[in-house]
Amino acid sequence: MPYILLQALNLACERDERMLFKGLNLTVKAGEIWHIKGPNGAGKTSLLRLMIGDLYLDSGELDVKPGVQIGYFHQDHRTLDFTLTPEQQIQKMKPKMPYGDLRALLGQFQFTPSMVKNPLSKLSGGERARVAILKLLLEDNNLLLLDEPTNHLDADARGAVEESLKEYDGAIISVSHDRWFLNQVCDTIWELKGDGSLKVWPGNYSEYIRRSQVG
């Protein structure tokens, strides 16, 4: 039976005199992969930020269970040290990992031998994103919050990231406009309507489109 990582009861959040959402009730269990969908300004990223304590609730209760470790993918890749190379960044967090295993991991994320020696500051946004996601997957997290994780990734890199996320045994909550990613990875859609309400749709993005058009 999957264990519960996070529960939300009657969440309400207002910003700039506008109610982003109210009365939200959610339960997140290990192994689940959720996607938050909604129009601009509906509160998608705000909901992620509430979960890490970066924003405060106006009312309700957000219960992150004991032992839950949250990893957050920021669009600006702020968790990386831009003075390090991809190789050094992974070595810093996994100093006992055999070098061959480290290089194999970076290779799975589409890094060539020359690329792993370049400082992160010299790499593209997509290349830094791949390092940031690999770093999250190597940390002791059991809940990942991903804010536009596939921005700037080409098809090969997206495929590598998607395969790694599908093998992750914790829970994942994402915000993304990448329909291919949503079809490959997500199994449930949270739809923030933009009027303060939320609706849960089981299935990936294609299933959501089919059901929402019918209903």
Side-chain angles (χ1 to χ4, degrees):
M1 188 74 176
Y3 57 94
I4 294 173
L5 301 177
L6 178 149
Q7 285 184 303
L9 180 62
N10 291 323
L11 294 192
C13 182
E14 182 177 347
R15 291 292 175 270
D16 300 322
E17 300 183 351
R18 179 172 175 268
M19 185 62 69
L20 295 179
F21 42 80
K22 59 184 176 181
L24 263 62
N25 297 294
L26 303 167
T27 299
V28 179
K29 297 179 181 178
E32 295 180 334
I33 305 179
W34 301 79
H35 165 64
I36 307 172
K37 181 191 181 302
N40 290 338
K44 300 185 295 295
T45 297
S46 294
L47 185 52
L48 293 184
R49 293 176 64 195
L50 284 169
M51 293 178 182
I52 60 171
D54 198 27
L55 291 178
Y56 293 99
L57 289 169
D58 289 288
S59 63
E61 181 180 352
L62 183 61
D63 180 19
V64 179
K65 300 299 182 180
V68 172
Q69 297 293 321
I70 298 177
Y72 195 110
F73 177 87
H74 298 268
Q75 292 189 51
D76 60 6
H77 315 135
R78 68 185 67 173
T79 60
L80 300 178
D81 183 343
F82 283 24
T83 67
L84 301 179
T85 66
E87 185 179 84
Q88 291 169 335
Q89 181 73 80
I90 304 306
Q91 283 177 325
K92 182 178 180 180
M93 62 177 303
K94 292 290 183 180
K96 296 182 179 180
M97 179 181 288
Y99 182 74
D101 293 345
L102 183 150
R103 284 291 293 111
L105 277 175
L106 287 167
Q108 290 174 20
F109 274 66
Q110 310 295 306
F111 283 95
T112 65
S114 60
M115 289 167 62
V116 302
K117 303 293 186 181
N118 289 329
L120 289 163
S121 60
K122 303 293 186 182
L123 298 183
S124 69
E127 290 161 349
R128 288 196 293 267
R130 285 166 12 222
V131 177
I133 291 172
L134 177 56
K135 180 174 178 289
L136 282 176
L137 292 171
L138 291 174
E139 291 171 348
D140 293 325
N141 303 314
N142 48 15
L143 174 58
L144 295 184
L145 308 181
L146 308 178
D147 191 0
E148 301 289 357
T150 61
N151 274 8
H152 313 299
L153 299 187
D154 61 24
D156 289 341
R158 281 206 314 270
V161 167
E162 288 158 5
E163 288 304 312
S164 297
L165 292 176
K166 283 190 281 189
E167 294 175 3
Y168 181 68
D169 59 5
I172 300 172
I173 304 172
S174 72
V175 172
S176 176
H177 291 87
D178 183 343
R179 295 186 180 186
W180 176 258
F181 169 77
L182 300 179
N183 276 332
Q184 294 298 308
V185 176
C186 295
D187 54 34
T188 307
I189 306 291
W190 291 348
E191 183 182 15
L192 285 171
K193 298 280 194 175
D195 60 1
S197 65
L198 176 142
K199 185 169 183 177
V200 177
W201 301 85
N204 64 12
Y205 190 82
S206 291
E207 187 68 10
Y208 155 76
I209 293 295
R210 186 186 69 80
R211 291 185 177 186
S212 61
Q213 288 176 346
V214 171

